[in-house]
Amino acid sequence: MGSPVAHRNQEGCMRKPELAAAIAERADLSKDKASQVLNVILDEITGSVSDGKDVSLIGFGTFTVRERAARTGKNPQTGQPLTIPASKTVAFKPGKGLKDAVGK
């Protein structure tokens, strides 16, 4: 069974179809079933984070919602100050296993 790196496209970026294909190969599933499993996982992560819940995958990392305060910025065309409203964003904090794998 190959490493997921072997499934990367020519730009060096693994997209969703390549990830589903790697899952199919490593878990002995059809590509359609692996794609369905991947979609369910991503839907669950998206739903939980959008509900304000953290998603922690031990060894991989944690997805969290972070609040951004309102702040002042500049219009790049005119240079005039403008207020950027408060917003929420998603953050990812890698776990030890992922950090160790990348650090090799």
Side-chain angles (χ1 to χ4, degrees):
M1 310 223 175
S3 160
V5 174
H7 296 284
R8 291 185 182 195
N9 62 26
Q10 55 234 41
E11 293 89 30
C13 175
M14 181 181 275
R15 297 175 318 161
K16 195 172 174 181
E18 287 95 11
L19 182 55
I23 291 168
E25 182 180 319
R26 295 194 57 195
D28 195 26
L29 296 170
S30 70
K31 285 185 182 180
D32 287 341
K33 187 54 117 177
S35 183
Q36 182 181 10
V37 168
L38 179 57
N39 285 332
V40 169
I41 291 168
L42 296 177
D43 288 347
E44 288 299 317
I45 291 171
T46 300
S48 292
V49 173
S50 67
D51 288 342
K53 299 176 193 168
D54 291 353
V55 176
S56 180
L57 305 172
I58 303 300
F60 182 73
T62 303
F63 297 90
T64 59
V65 176
R66 290 201 181 141
E67 302 276 341
R68 284 188 174 166
R71 59 199 187 278
T72 303
K74 283 188 180 179
N75 180 325
Q77 293 177 332
T78 66
Q80 294 295 315
L82 58 94
T83 300
I84 302 169
S87 64
K88 293 181 181 181
T89 189
V90 178
F92 177 76
K93 181 179 178 190
K96 184 178 181 337
L98 182 57
K99 285 181 189 176
D100 291 347
V102 170
K104 287 183 181 181

